[in-house]
Amino acid sequence: MPPEMYDEMLDRIGPRIHKMDTNYWLAIDPGVKLATTLRYLATGDSYTTVSYSFRVSRHTVAAFIPIVTKAIVEDYKDEVNPCPVTAEEWKEIADEFQKRWNVPHALGALDGKHCAIRKPPNSGSLYYNYKKFCSLISASELKESVKQGMLNLPAPAPMPNDDVEFPFFFLVDDAFALRNYMMKPYSRRGLSREEVILNYRISRGRRVVENAYGILASRWRCMLTPMQVIPEVGRLNVEASVILHNIMRMRYPQMQNAEMDKEDEDHNLIPGEWRNGAAMHDLAQNLGHNRDNVEGKNQRDYLKHYFNSPAGSIPWQDRTLQPRDNLRY
């Protein structure tokens, strides 16, 4: 983080985290609180370790870090986590997905991750997941918002070179249910050539969310180790990390792209640096309550035909057909 960004943040949240001196002790400087919190989020070190680094007691660190993370969230959330509110703003995102990833009508990509925490006292199995550790689930609120029709999504319209009205949708994986507003790849074996093409096209568009989570966790490493905090503090840690991550990407984009996946001139994937490190735990696949509906299946089949037609195909997609895909002809 450049010094000027740190200074700006201290100016903005300093009054929220400042404490008055008393007759018994001097208050800790807000700058020390902010620096300690950033160190904790960025390294994933324990409260004990960061307390030694800044010569502040562990109990004091445990007391002020939630205050600092809450101040970061409250002061920057609306600025760096905006959500489109009009159909025109959503269409701008869809145009960008079409331009970059050749997926028309895609409004973004959704995913969810487990953020490991210690077992909260008297919590039973509330936070215990199928992977046999306790966690928070870092998942987007977009799913429920879309389901309830709260986001002013664009009305169905024809895709490029087509004349059939087709809904706009989000790209997801098998942890989500297939719906007319959520498209995911085929998951069964023995896929046809057309189905493999669709899987490639959707998966290529989903790289954005894979990169987002991967780079986020590689830079704010508190999410790679079990957080020794109560769930409420863990959620603040995650939200503050996302906000800090977005601040840096928005203010200093020239510093942010080295770790991302890229493609060479033949559209072969060049894995980003973040893939060489530890990763967050994915959500379960094929959750029992996430059953695909008929409307979503029909829409995916239409999208399959579109991607394999002259109207929607791209020149290099046939190169994705490898023997390991177990195709049937």
Side-chain angles (χ1 to χ4, degrees):
M1 178 179 290
E4 57 269 21
M5 185 68 242
Y6 173 85
D7 292 339
E8 178 205 311
M9 188 171 295
L10 184 58
D11 289 340
R12 288 179 62 164
I13 73 168
R16 294 175 182 261
I17 64 177
H18 175 71
K19 298 293 183 181
M20 300 295 294
D21 294 339
T22 71
N23 293 330
Y24 301 97
W25 62 77
L26 298 177
I28 298 175
D29 184 80
V32 174
K33 294 180 180 180
L34 177 58
T36 304
T37 301
L38 294 176
R39 174 68 176 271
Y40 166 72
L41 296 176
T43 63
D45 287 342
S46 66
Y47 284 167
T48 300
T49 300
V50 295
S51 72
Y52 288 143
S53 299
F54 291 88
R55 297 186 179 182
V56 180
S57 77
R58 178 192 175 280
H59 297 289
T60 302
V61 168
F64 71 65
I65 282 183
I67 295 174
V68 178
T69 53
K70 184 177 181 180
I72 292 172
V73 170
E74 291 178 347
D75 208 88
Y76 282 95
K77 182 176 182 179
D78 292 338
E79 176 183 337
V80 302
N81 281 352
C83 182
V85 295
T86 66
E88 289 70 26
E89 290 176 332
W90 284 113
K91 285 181 180 179
E92 290 179 6
I93 296 175
D95 291 342
E96 190 70 14
F97 261 84
Q98 166 67 9
K99 177 182 176 181
R100 291 194 177 195
W101 306 111
N102 307 104
V103 183
H105 285 212
L107 300 174
L110 303 185
D111 203 351
K113 299 291 183 181
H114 288 284
C115 298
I117 59 171
R118 72 181 180 193
K119 187 180 186 301
N122 305 315
S123 63
S125 60
L126 181 60
Y127 295 96
Y128 195 70
N129 63 53
Y130 74 104
K131 293 189 176 181
K132 300 183 179 181
F133 63 91
C134 290
S135 67
L136 305 168
I137 295 178
S138 174
S140 173
E141 297 175 354
L142 281 173
K143 178 185 175 183
E144 290 303 318
S145 299
V146 173
K147 187 176 180 180
Q148 297 172 21
M150 300 169 56
L151 295 180
N152 296 320
L153 299 185
M159 293 187 289
N161 305 314
D162 200 10
D163 58 359
V164 177
E165 290 192 347
F166 196 81
F168 288 78
F169 54 85
F170 293 91
L171 303 176
V172 298
D173 62 11
D174 212 32
F176 296 84
L178 185 66
R179 297 288 186 267
N180 68 324
Y181 54 85
M182 288 191 180
M183 287 289 100
K184 66 180 182 181
Y186 292 98
S187 57
R188 64 180 183 271
R189 294 180 179 273
L191 299 179
S192 68
R193 171 190 175 280
E194 291 78 11
E195 290 167 341
V196 172
I197 293 294
L198 176 129
N199 284 6
Y200 166 70
R201 298 286 294 273
I202 290 181
S203 298
R204 183 169 179 260
R206 288 195 70 257
R207 286 180 197 162
V208 292
V209 72
E210 294 172 358
N211 277 264
Y213 272 119
I215 297 173
L216 171 71
S218 71
R219 294 188 173 181
W220 305 98
R221 303 185 71 83
C222 63
M223 287 181 281
L224 291 179
T225 57
M227 292 182 279
Q228 303 300 307
V229 295
I230 61 176
E232 291 75 15
V233 174
R235 292 188 179 95
L236 279 174
N237 290 345
V238 172
E239 192 167 6
S241 298
V242 170
I243 286 172
L244 290 166
H245 179 75
N246 286 354
I247 290 172
M248 294 301 297
R249 294 196 66 83
M250 293 169 66
R251 302 285 184 85
Y252 306 100
Q254 71 280 2
M255 300 170 55
Q256 309 303 316
N257 294 326
E259 298 181 79
M260 293 177 61
D261 288 346
K262 295 180 175 62
E263 290 185 342
D264 62 21
E265 59 185 14
D266 294 322
H267 300 281
N268 297 309
L269 174 65
I270 303 174
E273 295 175 13
W274 65 269
R275 293 186 182 273
N276 297 323
M280 301 173 71
H281 296 278
D282 290 325
L283 297 185
Q285 304 295 299
N286 296 314
L287 299 179
H289 60 278
N290 269 347
R291 295 182 177 176
D292 303 336
N293 65 13
V294 174
E295 187 179 11
K297 291 179 179 179
N298 291 338
Q299 180 169 319
R300 182 171 63 183
D301 286 342
Y302 186 88
L303 196 62
K304 173 187 69 176
H305 295 305
Y306 176 77
F307 283 153
N308 285 276
S309 72
S313 64
I314 51 180
W316 65 89
Q317 64 187 26
D318 282 326
R319 294 205 305 266
T320 66
L321 302 178
Q322 301 294 333
R324 61 179 174 80
D325 289 320
N326 191 21
L327 303 178
R328 65 172 186 271
Y329 294 96

Coordinates of all heavy atoms in Angstrom, one line a residue, residues 23-79:
N23 N -6.4 9.3 33.0 CA -5.4 9.5 34.1 C -4.6 8.3 34.4 O -3.6 8.3 35.1 CB -6.1 9.9 35.4 CG -6.8 11.3 35.3 OD1 -6.3 12.1 34.6 ND2 -7.9 11.4 36.0
Y24 N -5.0 7.1 33.8 CA -4.3 5.9 34.1 C -3.4 5.4 32.9 O -2.5 4.7 33.2 CB -5.3 4.8 34.5 CG -6.1 5.2 35.7 CD1 -7.4 5.7 35.5 CD2 -5.6 5.0 37.0 CE1 -8.2 6.1 36.6 CE2 -6.4 5.4 38.1 CZ -7.7 5.9 37.9 OH -8.4 6.3 39.0
W25 N -3.8 5.7 31.7 CA -3.0 5.3 30.6 C -3.2 6.2 29.4 O -4.2 6.9 29.3 CB -3.3 3.8 30.2 CG -4.7 3.6 29.8 CD1 -5.2 3.9 28.6 CD2 -5.7 3.0 30.5 NE1 -6.5 3.5 28.5 CE2 -6.9 3.0 29.7 CE3 -5.8 2.5 31.9 CZ2 -8.1 2.4 30.2 CZ3 -7.0 2.0 32.3 CH2 -8.1 1.9 31.5
L26 N -2.2 6.2 28.5 CA -2.2 6.9 27.3 C -2.9 6.1 26.2 O -2.6 4.9 26.1 CB -0.8 7.3 26.8 CG 0.0 8.2 27.8 CD1 1.3 8.5 27.2 CD2 -0.8 9.5 28.0
A27 N -3.8 6.7 25.4 CA -4.4 5.9 24.3 C -3.5 5.6 23.2 O -2.5 6.3 22.9 CB -5.6 6.8 23.8
I28 N -3.7 4.5 22.6 CA -2.9 4.0 21.5 C -3.2 4.9 20.2 O -4.3 5.2 19.9 CB -3.1 2.6 21.1 CG1 -2.7 1.7 22.3 CG2 -2.3 2.1 19.9 CD1 -3.1 0.2 22.2
D29 N -2.1 5.3 19.6 CA -2.2 6.2 18.4 C -3.1 5.5 17.3 O -2.9 4.3 17.1 CB -0.9 6.6 17.9 CG -0.9 7.5 16.7 OD1 -1.1 8.7 17.0 OD2 -0.9 7.1 15.5
P30 N -4.0 6.2 16.7 CA -4.8 5.6 15.6 C -3.9 5.0 14.5 O -4.3 4.0 13.9 CB -5.7 6.7 15.1 CG -5.8 7.7 16.2 CD -4.5 7.6 16.9
G31 N -2.8 5.6 14.2 CA -1.9 5.1 13.2 C -1.4 3.7 13.5 O -1.3 2.8 12.6
V32 N -1.1 3.5 14.8 CA -0.6 2.1 15.2 C -1.8 1.1 15.1 O -1.5 0.0 14.6 CB -0.1 2.2 16.7 CG1 0.2 0.8 17.2 CG2 1.1 3.1 16.8
K33 N -3.0 1.5 15.4 CA -4.1 0.6 15.3 C -4.3 0.2 13.8 O -4.6 -0.9 13.5 CB -5.4 1.3 15.8 CG -5.4 1.6 17.3 CD -6.7 2.2 17.8 CE -6.7 2.5 19.3 NZ -7.9 3.1 19.7
L34 N -4.3 1.2 12.9 CA -4.5 0.9 11.5 C -3.4 0.0 11.0 O -3.7 -0.9 10.3 CB -4.6 2.2 10.7 CG -4.8 2.1 9.2 CD1 -6.0 1.3 8.9 CD2 -4.8 3.5 8.5
A35 N -2.1 0.4 11.3 CA -1.0 -0.4 10.8 C -1.1 -1.9 11.3 O -0.8 -2.8 10.5 CB 0.3 0.2 11.2
T36 N -1.4 -2.0 12.6 CA -1.5 -3.4 13.1 C -2.6 -4.2 12.4 O -2.5 -5.3 12.1 CB -1.9 -3.3 14.6 OG1 -0.9 -2.5 15.3 CG2 -1.9 -4.6 15.3
T37 N -3.8 -3.5 12.2 CA -4.9 -4.2 11.5 C -4.5 -4.6 10.1 O -4.8 -5.7 9.7 CB -6.1 -3.3 11.5 OG1 -6.5 -3.0 12.9 CG2 -7.3 -4.0 10.9
L38 N -3.9 -3.7 9.4 CA -3.5 -4.1 8.0 C -2.5 -5.2 8.0 O -2.6 -6.1 7.1 CB -2.9 -2.8 7.3 CG -3.8 -1.7 7.1 CD1 -3.1 -0.5 6.5 CD2 -5.0 -2.1 6.1
R39 N -1.6 -5.2 9.0 CA -0.6 -6.3 9.1 C -1.3 -7.6 9.4 O -1.0 -8.7 8.8 CB 0.4 -6.0 10.1 CG 1.4 -7.1 10.5 CD 2.4 -7.3 9.3 NE 3.4 -8.3 9.7 CZ 4.5 -8.0 10.3 NH1 4.8 -6.8 10.5 NH2 5.4 -9.0 10.5
Y40 N -2.3 -7.6 10.2 CA -3.0 -8.8 10.6 C -3.8 -9.3 9.4 O -3.8 -10.5 9.1 CB -4.0 -8.5 11.8 CG -5.0 -9.5 12.0 CD1 -4.7 -10.7 12.6 CD2 -6.4 -9.3 11.7 CE1 -5.7 -11.7 12.8 CE2 -7.3 -10.2 11.9 CZ -7.0 -11.5 12.5 OH -7.9 -12.4 12.7
L41 N -4.5 -8.5 8.7 CA -5.3 -8.9 7.5 C -4.4 -9.4 6.4 O -4.7 -10.4 5.7 CB -6.2 -7.8 7.0 CG -7.3 -7.3 8.0 CD1 -8.0 -6.1 7.4 CD2 -8.3 -8.4 8.4
A42 N -3.3 -8.8 6.2 CA -2.4 -9.1 5.1 C -1.6 -10.4 5.3 O -1.3 -11.1 4.3 CB -1.5 -7.9 4.7
T43 N -1.2 -10.7 6.5 CA -0.4 -11.8 6.8 C -1.1 -13.0 7.3 O -0.6 -14.1 7.1 CB 0.7 -11.4 7.8 OG1 0.1 -11.1 9.1 CG2 1.5 -10.2 7.3
G44 N -2.3 -12.8 7.9 CA -2.9 -13.9 8.6 C -2.2 -14.3 9.9 O -2.6 -15.4 10.4
D45 N -1.3 -13.5 10.4 CA -0.7 -13.8 11.7 C -1.7 -13.8 12.8 O -2.7 -13.2 12.7 CB 0.5 -12.8 11.9 CG 1.7 -13.1 11.0 OD1 1.8 -14.2 10.5 OD2 2.5 -12.1 10.9
S46 N -1.3 -14.4 13.9 CA -2.2 -14.4 15.1 C -2.1 -13.1 15.8 O -1.2 -12.2 15.5 CB -1.7 -15.5 16.0 OG -0.4 -15.2 16.6
Y47 N -3.1 -12.8 16.7 CA -3.0 -11.6 17.5 C -1.7 -11.5 18.3 O -1.2 -10.4 18.4 CB -4.2 -11.6 18.4 CG -5.5 -11.2 17.8 CD1 -6.7 -11.4 18.5 CD2 -5.7 -10.7 16.5 CE1 -8.0 -11.1 18.0 CE2 -6.9 -10.4 16.0 CZ -8.0 -10.6 16.7 OH -9.2 -10.3 16.2
T48 N -1.3 -12.7 18.7 CA 0.0 -12.7 19.5 C 1.2 -12.2 18.7 O 2.0 -11.4 19.2 CB 0.2 -14.1 20.1 OG1 -0.9 -14.5 20.9 CG2 1.5 -14.2 20.9
T49 N 1.3 -12.7 17.5 CA 2.4 -12.4 16.6 C 2.4 -10.9 16.3 O 3.4 -10.2 16.4 CB 2.4 -13.2 15.3 OG1 2.4 -14.6 15.7 CG2 3.5 -12.8 14.4
V50 N 1.3 -10.3 15.9 CA 1.2 -8.9 15.6 C 1.4 -8.0 16.8 O 1.9 -6.9 16.7 CB -0.1 -8.5 14.8 CG1 -0.1 -9.2 13.5 CG2 -1.3 -8.8 15.6
S51 N 1.0 -8.5 18.0 CA 1.2 -7.8 19.2 C 2.7 -7.6 19.5 O 3.1 -6.5 20.0 CB 0.5 -8.4 20.4 OG 1.1 -9.6 20.8
Y52 N 3.5 -8.7 19.2 CA 4.9 -8.5 19.4 C 5.5 -7.5 18.4 O 6.4 -6.8 18.7 CB 5.6 -9.9 19.3 CG 5.3 -10.8 20.4 CD1 5.1 -12.2 20.2 CD2 5.3 -10.4 21.7 CE1 4.9 -13.1 21.2 CE2 5.1 -11.3 22.8 CZ 4.9 -12.6 22.5 OH 4.6 -13.5 23.5
S53 N 5.0 -7.6 17.2 CA 5.6 -6.7 16.1 C 5.3 -5.2 16.5 O 6.2 -4.4 16.1 CB 4.9 -7.0 14.8 OG 5.2 -8.3 14.4
F54 N 4.2 -4.9 17.1 CA 3.9 -3.5 17.4 C 4.0 -3.1 18.9 O 3.6 -2.0 19.3 CB 2.5 -3.2 16.8 CG 2.4 -3.1 15.3 CD1 2.2 -4.3 14.6 CD2 2.7 -2.0 14.6 CE1 2.1 -4.3 13.3 CE2 2.6 -2.0 13.2 CZ 2.3 -3.1 12.6
R55 N 4.4 -4.1 19.7 CA 4.6 -3.8 21.1 C 3.3 -3.4 21.8 O 3.3 -2.4 22.5 CB 5.8 -2.9 21.4 CG 7.1 -3.4 20.9 CD 8.2 -2.5 21.3 NE 9.5 -3.0 20.8 CZ 10.7 -2.4 21.0 NH1 10.7 -1.3 21.7 NH2 11.8 -2.9 20.6
V56 N 2.3 -4.0 21.4 CA 1.0 -3.8 22.0 C 0.5 -5.1 22.6 O 0.7 -6.2 21.9 CB 0.0 -3.2 21.0 CG1 -1.4 -3.0 21.6 CG2 0.5 -1.9 20.4
S57 N -0.2 -5.1 23.7 CA -0.6 -6.4 24.3 C -1.6 -7.1 23.4 O -2.4 -6.5 22.7 CB -1.3 -6.1 25.7 OG -2.6 -5.6 25.6
R58 N -1.6 -8.4 23.5 CA -2.5 -9.2 22.7 C -4.0 -8.9 23.0 O -4.8 -8.8 22.0 CB -2.3 -10.7 23.0 CG -3.2 -11.6 22.2 CD -3.2 -13.0 22.7 NE -4.2 -13.9 22.1 CZ -5.4 -13.9 22.3 NH1 -5.9 -13.1 23.3 NH2 -6.3 -14.7 21.6
H59 N -4.3 -8.7 24.2 CA -5.7 -8.4 24.5 C -6.1 -7.0 24.0 O -7.3 -6.8 23.5 CB -5.9 -8.4 26.0 CG -5.7 -9.7 26.6 ND1 -6.6 -10.8 26.4 CD2 -4.7 -10.2 27.4 CE1 -6.1 -11.9 27.1 NE2 -5.0 -11.5 27.7
T60 N -5.2 -6.1 23.9 CA -5.5 -4.8 23.3 C -5.7 -4.9 21.8 O -6.6 -4.3 21.2 CB -4.4 -3.8 23.6 OG1 -4.2 -3.7 25.1 CG2 -4.7 -2.4 23.1
V61 N -4.8 -5.7 21.2 CA -5.0 -5.9 19.7 C -6.3 -6.6 19.4 O -7.0 -6.2 18.5 CB -3.8 -6.8 19.2 CG1 -4.1 -7.3 17.8 CG2 -2.5 -6.1 19.3
A62 N -6.7 -7.6 20.2 CA -8.0 -8.2 20.0 C -9.2 -7.3 20.2 O -10.2 -7.4 19.6 CB -8.1 -9.4 21.0
A63 N -9.0 -6.2 21.1 CA -10.1 -5.3 21.3 C -10.2 -4.3 20.2 O -11.3 -3.9 19.8 CB -9.8 -4.6 22.6
F64 N -9.1 -3.8 19.6 CA -9.2 -2.7 18.6 C -9.3 -3.1 17.2 O -9.8 -2.4 16.3 CB -8.1 -1.6 18.8 CG -6.7 -2.0 18.4 CD1 -6.4 -2.2 17.1 CD2 -5.7 -2.0 19.4 CE1 -5.1 -2.5 16.7 CE2 -4.4 -2.3 19.0 CZ -4.1 -2.5 17.7
I65 N -8.8 -4.3 16.8 CA -8.9 -4.7 15.4 C -10.3 -4.8 14.9 O -10.6 -4.3 13.8 CB -8.2 -6.1 15.2 CG1 -6.7 -5.8 15.1 CG2 -8.6 -6.8 13.9 CD1 -5.8 -7.1 14.9
P66 N -11.3 -5.3 15.6 CA -12.7 -5.3 15.1 C -13.2 -3.9 15.0 O -14.0 -3.6 14.1 CB -13.5 -6.0 16.2 CG -12.5 -6.9 16.9 CD -11.2 -6.2 16.9
I67 N -12.7 -2.9 15.8 CA -13.2 -1.5 15.7 C -12.6 -0.9 14.4 O -13.3 -0.2 13.7 CB -12.7 -0.7 17.0 CG1 -13.4 -1.3 18.2 CG2 -13.0 0.7 16.8 CD1 -12.9 -0.6 19.5
V68 N -11.4 -1.2 14.1 CA -10.8 -0.7 12.9 C -11.4 -1.3 11.7 O -11.7 -0.6 10.7 CB -9.2 -0.9 12.9 CG1 -8.6 -0.4 11.6 CG2 -8.6 -0.3 14.1
T69 N -11.6 -2.6 11.6 CA -12.2 -3.2 10.5 C -13.6 -2.7 10.2 O -14.0 -2.5 9.1 CB -12.2 -4.8 10.6 OG1 -12.8 -5.1 11.8 CG2 -10.8 -5.3 10.5
K70 N -14.4 -2.5 11.3 CA -15.7 -2.0 11.2 C -15.7 -0.5 10.6 O -16.5 -0.2 9.8 CB -16.4 -2.0 12.5 CG -17.9 -1.5 12.5 CD -18.6 -1.6 13.8 CE -20.0 -1.2 13.7 NZ -20.7 -1.3 15.0
A71 N -14.7 0.3 11.1 CA -14.6 1.6 10.5 C -14.2 1.6 9.1 O -14.8 2.4 8.3 CB -13.5 2.4 11.3
I72 N -13.4 0.7 8.6 CA -13.0 0.6 7.2 C -14.2 0.3 6.4 O -14.5 0.9 5.4 CB -11.9 -0.4 7.0 CG1 -10.6 0.0 7.6 CG2 -11.7 -0.7 5.5 CD1 -9.5 -1.0 7.7
V73 N -15.0 -0.7 6.9 CA -16.2 -1.1 6.2 C -17.2 0.0 6.1 O -17.7 0.3 5.0 CB -16.9 -2.3 6.9 CG1 -18.2 -2.6 6.3 CG2 -16.0 -3.6 6.8
E74 N -17.5 0.7 7.2 CA -18.5 1.7 7.2 C -18.1 2.9 6.3 O -18.9 3.6 5.7 CB -18.8 2.2 8.6 CG -19.5 1.1 9.4 CD -19.7 1.6 10.9 OE1 -19.1 2.6 11.3 OE2 -20.5 0.9 11.6
D75 N -16.8 3.2 6.3 CA -16.4 4.4 5.6 C -16.2 4.2 4.1 O -16.4 5.2 3.3 CB -15.1 5.0 6.2 CG -14.9 6.5 6.0 OD1 -15.4 7.2 6.9 OD2 -14.3 6.9 5.0
Y76 N -15.8 3.0 3.7 CA -15.5 2.8 2.3 C -16.5 1.9 1.5 O -16.4 1.8 0.3 CB -14.1 2.1 2.2 CG -13.0 3.1 2.3 CD1 -12.4 3.3 3.6 CD2 -12.5 3.8 1.3 CE1 -11.3 4.2 3.8 CE2 -11.4 4.7 1.4 CZ -10.9 4.9 2.7 OH -9.8 5.8 2.8
K77 N -17.4 1.2 2.2 CA -18.3 0.2 1.6 C -19.0 0.8 0.3 O -19.0 0.2 -0.7 CB -19.2 -0.3 2.6 CG -20.1 -1.4 2.0 CD -21.0 -2.0 3.1 CE -21.9 -3.2 2.5 NZ -22.7 -3.8 3.6
D78 N -19.7 1.9 0.5 CA -20.5 2.4 -0.6 C -19.6 2.9 -1.8 O -20.1 2.9 -2.9 CB -21.4 3.5 -0.1 CG -22.5 3.1 0.8 OD1 -22.8 1.9 0.8 OD2 -23.0 3.9 1.6
E79 N -18.4 3.2 -1.5 CA -17.5 3.8 -2.5 C -16.9 2.7 -3.4 O -16.8 2.8 -4.6 CB -16.4 4.6 -1.9 CG -15.4 5.1 -2.9 CD -14.2 5.8 -2.2 OE1 -14.4 6.3 -1.0 OE2 -13.1 5.9 -2.8

